[in-house]
Amino acid sequence: MHPMLNIAIRAARSAGSIIVRSLQHVEHLEVTTKGRNDFVTDVDRLAEQEIINAIKKAYPDHAILAEESGKQGDNEIMWVIDPLDGTTNYLHGFPHYCVSIAVMVRGKTEHAVIYDPLRDELFSASRGGGAKLNDRRLRVTKKKELAGTLIATGFPFKYPQHLTPYLATFNAVFLQVADVRRAGSAALDLAYVAAGRLDGYWEIGLEKWDLAAGILLVEEAGGVVTDFAGGDNYFNQGNLVVGNLAIQQQILDSITPHLTEELKK
Ligand code: 2AM
Ligand code: CA
């Protein structure tokens, strides 16, 4: 295993244990609002600090981009951290959230860890080395048609201006598939596509820390990830369409007619 992946795994596990231990006090947590419907707690901050300390100890020169503390350092290697993806779920006691850590080298994710501390599920990947859930190798599903598929999505809770086009894309996808899930953690949605638990996924308006680790997991599990223009500008655009080769293309074809120019940029 690459030493950087090893550090990422250890950091994700210790952040996970902070998250689970703090569950007992979740009703008493002080919640601040970062933006519209966007919440942050001391648990996010503590877990993030734990991860940053672990990285800095091993790699003091590497750059870090973290959801709660922003960017620090300047290096071609950058660790992209979401200490608690699914904070809204966490605050409600809805048991679905994770830690996400990606190591990016010159803008490309090379190592990825997504850790679900409640189920003790560790999703990991290194570029060219495949994706794993704990010790098991992962593969995206083999479905060829949208009929019968289970697809995940996210709602544009932060961007009400995208709600109308989003709902049009929802309509278009929903009418062709078995069902759609909105579970509230983008990183776990991506990990679940990699694990073959979901056949595909699309969402508007993600941040780099939501998607950096998950995209490598999907790719290493044999899946395809694009932005809404069918390209690979998703880090800047924040919009994702994901699935195996056939399903990804069919979701993209289904949503494209409903997208505004802004969403395709
Ligand atoms: P976060 O918990 O790290 O903020 C999915 O839509 C993504 O948006 C999640 O990965 C989640 O990441 C973020 N998010 C922030 N606020 C949200 C909200 N009110 N409802 C759902 N997702 C939210
Ligand atoms: Ca997130």
Side-chain angles (χ1 to χ4, degrees):
M1 183 193 295
H2 193 285
M4 287 200 275
L5 183 64
N6 198 20
I7 297 288
I9 290 174
R10 277 170 28 202
R13 285 192 185 278
S14 25
S17 84
I18 292 177
I19 291 168
V20 172
R21 269 189 274 133
S22 309
L23 258 181
Q24 308 165 33
H25 321 291
V26 79
E27 306 95 84
H28 307 295
L29 273 179
E30 200 170 312
V31 182
T32 41
T33 307
K34 278 190 285 189
R36 194 175 186 276
N37 299 334
D38 204 348
F39 307 104
V40 62
T41 69
D42 283 343
V43 180
D44 299 64
R45 285 186 279 256
L46 273 173
E48 181 165 301
Q49 204 48 55
E50 178 82 10
I51 297 165
I52 292 175
N53 292 346
I55 296 165
K56 284 205 162 153
K57 207 164 146 200
Y59 302 105
D61 299 334
H62 289 183
I64 288 171
L65 174 67
E67 172 156 19
E68 313 309 338
S69 54
K71 186 155 183 222
Q72 39 179 307
D74 192 18
N75 192 293
E76 64 174 28
I77 304 182
M78 182 165 79
W79 294 66
V80 181
I81 303 162
D82 193 334
L84 175 52
D85 188 49
T87 303
T88 304
N89 285 344
Y90 186 75
L91 288 172
H92 288 259
F94 186 99
H96 192 76
Y97 37 81
C98 66
V99 181
S100 173
I101 303 175
V103 184
M104 296 184 72
V105 182
R106 290 183 291 276
K108 244 174 134 180
T109 303
E110 293 293 326
H111 307 285
V113 173
I114 291 178
Y115 180 56
D116 173 346
L118 291 177
R119 298 177 184 85
D120 192 25
E121 288 190 327
L122 187 102
F123 302 86
S124 66
S126 287
R127 185 169 295 278
K132 290 201 299 196
L133 164 50
N134 298 330
D135 291 327
R136 192 165 54 82
R137 279 200 162 271
L138 297 182
R139 203 66 207 154
V140 294
T141 60
K142 294 193 170 65
K143 300 255 171 57
K144 293 271 179 289
E145 308 274 330
L146 284 178
T149 57
L150 185 63
I151 305 293
T153 189
F155 303 141
F157 60 91
K158 241 192 271 184
Y159 305 101
Q161 74 273 26
H162 294 322
L163 187 60
T164 301
Y166 171 75
L167 289 173
T169 68
F170 183 90
N171 240 330
V173 174
F174 179 70
L175 290 172
Q176 301 177 73
V177 301
D179 208 347
V180 176
R181 294 285 176 270
R182 196 300 186 225
S185 163
L188 279 180
D189 289 336
L190 289 161
Y192 281 20
V193 172
R197 294 173 177 176
L198 291 165
D199 298 295
Y201 164 69
W202 88 105
E203 181 159 359
I204 290 174
L206 295 166
E207 303 286 350
K208 290 186 174 66
W209 41 80
D210 299 320
L211 58 83
I215 52 160
L216 182 64
L217 279 165
V218 170
E219 288 175 350
E220 288 296 325
V224 177
V225 180
T226 75
D227 59 26
F228 282 3
D232 61 1
N233 191 31
Y234 30 74
F235 278 105
N236 300 315
Q237 200 196 55
N239 306 326
L240 282 186
V241 183
V242 174
N244 69 35
L245 187 63
I247 297 300
Q248 195 276 343
Q249 188 63 53
Q250 288 170 48
I251 298 173
L252 186 59
D253 290 345
S254 306
I255 70 172
T256 300
H258 309 287
L259 298 174
T260 55
E261 284 310 308
E262 192 190 340
L263 283 170
K264 282 187 275 191
K265 256 187 254 155

